[in-house]
Amino acid sequence: MPRTRLDSGLRKEQILDATLAIIAESGHLCVNTSEISRRVGIVPSALYRHFRDKEQLIDALLERTRGRLLGNIETIAGRAGDPIRRLRQIFLLHLQMIRDNPGIPRLIFSDAVAFGTFQRKNKLFSILNAYMKNIEDIVIRGQKEEKISRDVLPRAAAFALVSLVQNVGIILNLTGGTIDMAPEAESAWRLFEKGFIREENTRQEV
């Protein structure tokens, strides 16, 4: 019995990976059971043992994204140490996740999510809100430790960092990942740090 559950879990991951790859290449409208089954190496009828339809697939992708994204940030947010470095780690991890999974930003900005059901939009909002809350907590702790200026509004800092990553995701999406955004992302981070972090601490980190 345990082996059957493990095999089922692995198959679901394969199906989700194939779905995300199709979204990255052609968009969510091109997701269909025949193509997913072909990529995974199963007959189309076997797909329905794991997901009843396309809508459930999209919801499962959002849920998996939630787990990975929040898992990363919660691990870093809970660590001790310099808050500036932790914010940078979060920024870089998020960028890496987008680079490794180009289908994620394309899914997030798709009609299936932006104009989807209330439950789906609410799920996406809850992911974003939890993500920003972790960033806020790091900023607040940094202010208490006098590493981050008390003039900074924690919510504004979280919004700025998320916007930074989203812009990279949009450009990668528009260009099909053909542009290396690493130099621009590094420059943007330095501007972020300069604008929100105490100047004397920034000099010490360089």
Side-chain angles (χ1 to χ4, degrees):
M1 292 296 290
R3 182 172 178 78
T4 301
R5 288 196 295 271
L6 177 61
D7 288 346
S8 177
L10 289 173
R11 182 65 76 192
K12 283 184 176 181
E13 286 299 306
Q14 289 179 330
I15 293 169
L16 291 176
D17 287 341
T19 304
L20 197 59
I22 295 170
I23 292 172
E25 295 164 12
S26 310
H28 80 281
L29 292 177
C30 293
V31 172
N32 61 77
T33 56
S34 297
E35 180 60 16
I36 295 171
S37 301
R38 184 188 70 78
R39 294 190 184 211
V40 176
I42 57 176
V43 295
S45 59
L47 192 64
Y48 296 107
R49 298 174 192 165
H50 306 284
F51 300 99
R52 66 175 179 270
D53 54 27
K54 177 178 173 180
E55 295 303 305
Q56 191 177 43
L57 267 171
I58 291 173
D59 285 333
L61 279 173
L62 284 177
E63 194 58 42
R64 188 174 74 166
T65 300
R66 170 203 283 270
R68 293 179 177 179
L69 189 63
L70 296 185
N72 284 340
I73 192 172
E74 287 169 3
T75 297
I76 294 173
R79 292 174 182 169
D82 189 271
I84 301 172
R85 288 182 178 174
R86 277 181 286 150
L87 289 173
R88 179 178 171 79
Q89 285 178 316
I90 289 168
F91 175 68
L92 294 177
L93 272 176
H94 198 155
L95 288 182
Q96 189 61 50
M97 184 177 180
I98 290 175
R99 283 195 292 265
D100 292 343
N101 303 275
I104 289 178
R106 193 157 189 180
L107 172 64
I108 297 301
F109 298 126
S110 70
D111 290 349
V113 175
F115 300 103
T117 64
F118 172 79
Q119 289 83 0
R120 185 174 292 158
K121 288 187 286 189
N122 192 54
K123 177 180 291 188
L124 183 58
F125 178 76
S126 71
I127 296 171
L128 178 62
N129 200 46
Y131 187 85
M132 292 181 66
K133 180 64 169 62
N134 276 282
I135 295 172
E136 286 181 65
D137 289 343
I138 294 175
V139 173
I140 291 170
R141 277 198 285 173
Q143 289 173 326
K144 290 179 179 178
E145 296 167 2
E146 298 188 347
K147 297 281 187 178
I148 298 176
S149 171
R150 291 185 180 274
D151 293 334
V152 173
L153 295 175
R155 190 69 175 178
F159 180 82
L161 194 150
V162 169
S163 298
L164 217 58
V165 179
Q166 284 181 334
N167 284 334
V168 173
I170 290 172
I171 294 173
L172 287 174
N173 189 14
L174 292 174
T175 62
T178 58
I179 296 179
D180 180 13
M181 293 299 299
E184 286 81 1
E186 284 292 334
S187 296
W189 171 261
R190 287 194 291 270
L191 286 173
F192 173 87
E193 189 176 84
K194 184 177 180 181
F196 291 97
I197 310 304
R198 289 170 62 95
E199 186 177 348
E200 58 269 29
N201 290 319
T202 303
R203 285 199 298 267
Q204 291 172 11
E205 289 295 324
V206 174

